[in-house]
Amino acid sequence: MTRRLAEVAKKVGVSEATVSRVLNGKPGVSEATRQAVLTALDVLGYERPTQLRGERARLVGLVLPELQNPIFPAFAEVIGGALAQLGLTPVLCTQTKGGVSEADYVDLLLQQQVSGVVFAGGLYAQADAPHAHYRLLAERNIPVVLVNAAIDDFGFPGVSCDDAVAVEQAWRHLASLGHERIGLVLGPGDHVPSARKLAAAREIAGELPEEFVARAIFSIEGGHAAASRLIERGVTGIICASDPLALGAIRAARRKGYDVPGRISVVGYDDSAFMNCTEPPLTTVRQPIEAMGRAAVELLNAQIGGTAVPAEELLFEPELVVRGSTAQAPRDGER
């Protein structure tokens, strides 16, 4: 007990006597200090006293699928900062292959009696993935916000970048450069944002041959493999569902001896960190990460405060950022 008092006191920056008063429900402690002590208990992994267990912690789970794709650390920075400004402590939960799963993290967060959870990319975007942990959160009435498109049956509010507008911007850009054989590198078939991108491409193209659509896992290697197939089928412009996929597409073109953008033009999606530093600098569609992250926190905080939030999706407008990976389509003799 003495060790626990000392650790919590050091974490919060108060005396052990103050921590003791909070744990024993004694008066004379400000609400801000009381909440800080309870949050420190949660963060350090100590159980709350029995009489305080009915209160939710000032913790918010921030669940990400990975940190290798720079877009997810970018979301974590914005969302974590916005939570901290509200006196909420983000608990970062990053899935690892063969390690802790999204469902495992949800169980851990429920044990810590978190105030809410923000998911920025996850299994909610895949129709064929396991979803029982989302239903568990709904049954427990835990505030939840989803970042980017989800399947329809969760009943959670969300914020998304408009996939249809993103593809329209990228497609019109390539078409304006004279590209007629435009292909797509997308995520798995059950991935909702990819399905939205594909529907938009079909609408704007009128007719999109199936061989001009390639599926991949979201990685540079996945982009390389998928783009190789498209290049063999004669495409000159490639629109990718993420920046790592686009970097893989550029690598695929170069491995085949094709210049980017002289022979093959590539457009990414996200405008994640350092895409202006690649060679060539990547033309991509920028997600408004700052606005989306802050909106997600506002939606979560409203729920935490007891306000009913409609289970709607807020769509944010993307922005095409033209750099050096796109150029005029090659003439017939150059293909």
Side-chain angles (χ1 to χ4, degrees):
M1 180 66 177
T2 303
R3 179 185 169 192
R4 179 174 67 167
L5 288 175
E7 286 191 28
V8 175
K10 181 178 179 181
K11 182 80 173 175
V12 181
V14 297
S15 68
E16 292 182 30
T18 298
V19 175
S20 179
R21 283 199 294 274
V22 172
L23 298 184
N24 291 295
K26 302 292 184 182
V29 181
S30 71
E31 181 60 23
T33 299
R34 179 175 173 278
Q35 290 295 343
V37 168
L38 294 177
T39 298
L41 277 176
D42 298 325
V43 171
L44 293 171
Y46 292 121
E47 286 192 9
R48 294 186 178 204
T50 303
Q51 70 274 18
L52 299 176
R53 287 179 192 170
E55 296 186 28
R56 284 184 181 161
R58 298 288 289 174
L59 302 176
V60 170
L62 176 52
V63 184
L64 306 174
E66 57 165 316
L67 291 178
Q68 290 183 328
N69 184 340
I71 194 66
F72 294 116
F75 269 122
E77 182 177 8
V78 172
I79 293 170
L83 289 169
Q85 289 176 354
L86 296 171
L88 296 164
T89 302
V91 179
L92 184 61
C93 304
T94 306
Q95 300 165 59
T96 55
K97 293 178 181 177
V100 182
S101 69
E102 201 174 78
D104 292 333
Y105 274 127
V106 168
D107 287 340
L108 291 170
L109 292 170
L110 288 173
Q111 289 173 24
Q112 293 296 323
Q113 296 180 302
V114 292
S115 293
V117 185
V118 177
F119 292 89
L123 298 179
Y124 59 84
Q126 293 179 244
D128 298 335
H131 297 139
H133 51 292
Y134 298 114
R135 297 187 182 93
L136 179 60
L137 288 167
E139 290 168 3
R140 299 279 186 91
N141 293 316
I142 303 296
V144 172
V145 177
L146 307 177
V147 177
N148 277 326
I151 62 175
D152 293 330
D153 63 351
F154 294 131
F156 298 137
V159 297
S160 296
C161 188
D162 194 322
D163 293 295
V165 173
V167 166
E168 181 180 354
Q169 291 177 350
W171 194 285
R172 292 193 186 283
H173 171 62
L174 290 175
S176 73
L177 295 171
H179 292 273
E180 297 177 353
R181 299 171 68 83
I182 299 173
L184 300 175
V185 175
L186 303 173
D190 67 334
H191 185 244
V192 176
S194 293
R196 290 183 176 184
K197 290 181 173 70
L198 179 56
R202 284 174 170 158
E203 184 171 342
I204 192 172
E207 183 177 346
L208 180 63
E210 283 297 326
E211 62 266 27
F212 284 7
V213 179
R215 302 284 184 176
I217 60 171
F218 282 96
S219 66
I220 291 176
E221 293 76 18
H224 183 158
S228 293
R229 299 194 297 272
L230 294 180
I231 293 168
E232 289 168 0
R233 294 164 188 167
V235 305
T236 63
I238 302 175
I239 298 171
C240 300
S242 76
D243 289 339
L245 289 175
L247 296 180
I250 292 173
R251 189 171 73 179
R254 286 178 167 166
R255 292 280 172 87
K256 290 180 176 296
Y258 295 154
D259 178 65
V260 177
R263 291 286 296 276
I264 304 292
S265 287
V266 178
V267 182
Y269 178 75
D270 285 337
D271 194 28
S272 44
F274 310 121
M275 292 305 106
N276 60 336
C277 302
T278 60
E279 181 52 45
L282 184 66
T283 295
T284 187
V285 181
R286 176 183 294 160
Q287 289 199 66
I289 298 169
E290 181 79 22
M292 291 172 63
R294 291 196 169 276
V297 172
E298 288 176 11
L299 287 170
L300 189 79
N301 191 49
Q303 294 178 76
I304 292 171
T307 301
V309 175
E312 297 175 346
E313 181 184 36
L314 302 182
L315 285 180
F316 285 75
E317 191 89 354
E319 176 188 1
L320 178 70
V321 182
V322 179
R323 298 194 181 105
S325 65
T326 51
Q328 291 289 328
R331 293 187 294 272
D332 289 341
E334 298 174 341
R335 293 181 184 177

